[in-house]
Every structure is written in structure tokens, then in C-alpha cells.
Amino acid sequence: MLKHFRMLADYNRWANVQVYNAAAELSDAEFNEDRGAFFGSLHGTLNHLLVADRLWMHRFNGTGGVPASLDTVLHDTLRGLYSLREAEDRNIITWMETLDADALAVDITYTSILRPGAITVPLHAAVLHMFNHHTHHRGQCHMILTSMGKSSLVLDLLHFLRSEGRHWM
């Protein structure tokens, strides 16, 4: 499981690069246009993904700040957001390297922004949720881009493994 999660951290970084590269081809107006995704625009969706990662990493290892809401705007520009994204992806990969199998089996307890009260889950389930959450919202990013007439993104895990991620096979 540990190798699997480390691979997902690397895949997550790679997939984020694909989305940000596609976003770089948009005008500011397109980047900020509400396209009906859960967080509206590509800007809102990418901000949300970074907010969620910061929340989860704070829950996992106590690092970083805790945004006040799930739609907190961490940066107004794509360039600024991408810089924060790269740093967070490095943080996730570095943290994954510190874990062992015993650590993944431990329960964590946290409080959700959305509902009061303590929530306790095994760390491995919370880590899997974090990566699954990325897949969900990157799918929305893909929808936003294709609804603008932009090219489809190839974000498949197997594509990553056959290209930049060969060392995981």
C-alpha cells in the first residue's frame, strides 16, 4: 500500500502539471469564467484543490495553514496558484516518503469545515480520499476545458505509468 500511495503522490503531481499547462493557454477571462463546475471556474476549482490539500496535510502532519472555507482563494493568478501547487505537491511527496506501513494503519481524528464534531478514520483511508478527491475535481477541470472547445487532457494513470512514471512499474 505504501508504494501505491507514493505512486499516487507522483501521479497527482504529474496530472496537476497537465491541468496547469492546459490552463496556461486560457485568457484570464476564460480562466475565471463560471462554467458550472462545483467551484464555478477553473480558477475556483484549482484553488479548491489546493485548499483541500492544505487541510488534509494539516490533518496528516500539522504543517501549513488551515483555510477558513473550501472556496478560499489562495491566489488570484494562475502563475501564483501554480507556484503554490508545485510547493504543495512537493510537500505531499516528501510527506509520503516519511511514512511506513504502521503509520498508514493508525487512526487520525479531525474536525471538518463542513460539519462539527470529531471524525476518526484510518490514515490510509484519508490519504486515499485525498487522491480520489483530486481525480474528481480534475475531471471537472477537464470538463471546463473541453466545454470551452479546448483539447481533451490525457490524465489516465496508465498513461502516466507508460510515460513519466515508468519507474513505478
Side-chain angles (χ1 to χ4, degrees):
M1 189 180 299
L2 192 57
K3 182 179 178 182
H4 180 75
F5 282 144
R6 288 177 179 158
M7 176 193 65
L8 287 177
D10 193 26
Y11 164 73
N12 186 62
R13 175 208 48 81
W14 173 85
N16 286 335
V17 168
Q18 308 315 304
V19 172
Y20 274 85
N21 285 345
E25 297 179 16
L26 301 177
S27 68
D28 286 342
E30 289 172 318
F31 182 61
N32 290 289
E33 182 182 342
D34 188 333
R35 301 297 290 191
F38 196 86
F39 289 91
S41 65
L42 190 55
H43 177 248
T45 304
L46 293 175
N47 256 289
H48 169 70
L49 278 170
L50 187 56
V51 164
D53 280 349
R54 288 188 170 181
L55 285 168
W56 281 112
M57 291 307 294
H58 184 77
R59 293 166 181 164
F60 296 157
N61 68 5
T63 62
V66 178
S69 69
L70 295 177
D71 61 354
T72 296
V73 175
L74 298 173
H75 208 286
D76 291 326
T77 68
L78 176 65
R79 182 182 304 247
L81 197 57
Y82 188 43
S83 178
L84 296 174
R85 175 77 265 161
E86 287 178 312
E88 196 63 35
D89 285 342
R90 282 191 306 272
N91 183 35
I92 292 167
I93 289 168
T94 299
W95 176 70
M96 289 301 307
E97 291 298 322
T98 70
L99 297 178
D100 59 23
D102 290 339
L104 285 173
V106 171
D107 285 350
I108 64 164
T109 300
Y110 66 94
T111 303
S112 170
I113 286 179
L114 298 177
R115 63 184 72 86
I119 299 169
T120 300
V121 296
L123 179 60
H124 67 85
V127 171
L128 183 57
H129 168 77
M130 180 181 71
F131 291 128
N132 187 64
H133 180 258
H134 268 276
T135 299
H136 167 70
H137 285 295
R138 274 194 301 262
Q140 291 179 343
C141 293
H142 183 271
M143 177 277 305
I144 291 168
L145 290 162
T146 57
S147 73
M148 291 179 175
K150 307 301 178 186
S151 297
S152 269
L153 299 175
V154 179
L155 298 174
D156 293 334
L157 176 64
L158 289 177
H159 181 75
F160 164 71
L161 293 173
R162 288 190 308 262
S163 61
E164 190 176 316
R166 288 181 189 268
H167 61 281
W168 292 108
M169 296 200 318

